[in-house]
Amino acid sequence: MISIWSTPRSGSIITSKKLATEFSHSFFNEPVSLYLKNKYSYLDKNMMKLSDTYFSGCFFLDCRFKNFEIEIFKNYSEKPHNFEYKIMRKLSQANSNVLVHHHLTDLKDKYFERLVKLSHKNIYVQRINRKNQLASWAIARSENNWVNFSTPQDSKISDQIVNAAELIEFCSQIKIADKIAAEKKFEVVTFDELNIPNFQYQKMNTNSFDRLCSADQMKILSIVKDHFE
């Protein structure tokens, strides 16, 4: 098993899918952390969104064994009790054909340490362009649209949507994740340097900062200067 560790809006999903293709692995996105946050996925007007509650038509990613290999599938039922333990058990029994993505700071220590040990390779995805990472997070939070690989959203946002206090807390999470990855000596991959011009999962909105109004851009530039420079 390969584990991809990241912080939100770092380009980690496209990076994970690219690496899964290169390694011929199945891709499993946040099976433990999304369960702990009790999140379900659903499609709304060609956009993948997250829901805090179950309803007909939403799903979570599950896994099963097929021909002695792990297979990822969409489960359209409610999550069973203690699902995270069942997923951890399945991952521990899996061979090396699965690549699993995790948001590092979302996991409790016991899950984090076990997943690190189960993985024969641990990779940390980092985004050098912090202003775009923060802008992407602010827009995703405002629109409740955390994954969009199909429809470009390049229109300018006239309203102020940046909450400075929330972004400063997000910066703290990024710095904690950076520190943990360095201490664990994870291999580091930077989203900004990936060569994926024609990759089918290319993220459509790579320059979120430009979409923000000037007041929000100034807020983000100030936060980046205070926390990352």
Side-chain angles (χ1 to χ4, degrees), residues 17 23 44 68 97 111 126 144 148 151 160 177 180 204:
K17 290 183 174 181
F23 290 116
D44 179 31
F68 303 103
N97 73 314
Y111 299 122
Q126 198 170 52
N144 189 30
N148 180 10
T151 306
Q160 294 189 43
I180 292 172
M204 304 300 288

Side-chain angles (χ1 to χ4, degrees), residues 131-145:
K131 69 177 185 181
N132 263 319
Q133 183 175 8
L134 298 188
S136 177
W137 189 89
I139 293 171
R141 183 167 177 79
S142 172
E143 298 178 349
N144 189 30
N145 176 22

Side-chain angles (χ1 to χ4, degrees), residues 33-140:
S33 58
L34 284 180
Y35 176 82
L36 294 174
K37 291 186 289 187
N38 197 33
K39 296 290 186 180
Y40 294 88
S41 300
Y42 67 99
L43 195 63
D44 179 31
K45 296 179 181 178
N46 209 31
M47 293 184 182
M48 193 63 68
K49 296 188 176 182
L50 296 177
S51 171
D52 294 325
T53 56
Y54 173 78
F55 60 87
S56 178
C58 66
F59 64 89
F60 65 95
L61 291 181
D62 202 347
C63 64
R64 59 195 170 206
F65 287 101
K66 184 176 182 180
N67 298 326
F68 303 103
E69 292 190 352
I70 199 166
E71 180 183 63
I72 315 302
F73 69 98
K74 295 177 181 179
N75 191 325
Y76 286 88
S77 62
E78 286 195 70
K79 295 177 182 178
H81 181 62
N82 290 334
F83 174 71
E84 76 274 24
Y85 294 107
K86 297 175 183 178
I87 285 293
M88 292 292 290
R89 185 172 65 251
K90 290 178 181 178
L91 291 177
S92 67
Q93 297 168 348
N95 56 22
S96 60
N97 73 314
V98 61
L99 184 147
V100 188
H101 169 238
H102 322 273
H103 280 155
L104 198 154
T105 52
D106 287 343
L107 293 178
K108 298 176 182 177
D109 288 345
K110 61 180 179 180
Y111 299 122
F112 170 70
E113 294 294 344
R114 187 175 179 194
L115 286 165
V116 170
K117 291 179 180 178
L118 285 174
S119 304
H120 68 269
K121 182 187 287 289
N122 288 280
I123 300 172
Y124 182 60
V125 179
Q126 198 170 52
R127 192 164 185 175
I128 297 173
N129 192 323
R130 300 295 193 183
K131 69 177 185 181
N132 263 319
Q133 183 175 8
L134 298 188
S136 177
W137 189 89
I139 293 171

Side-chain angles (χ1 to χ4, degrees), residues 10 20 26 42 59 77 103 115 144 154 175 201 212 216:
S10 60
S26 299
Y42 67 99
F59 64 89
S77 62
H103 280 155
L115 286 165
N144 189 30
D154 297 325
K175 292 163 78 172
Y201 295 108
L212 297 176
D216 279 348

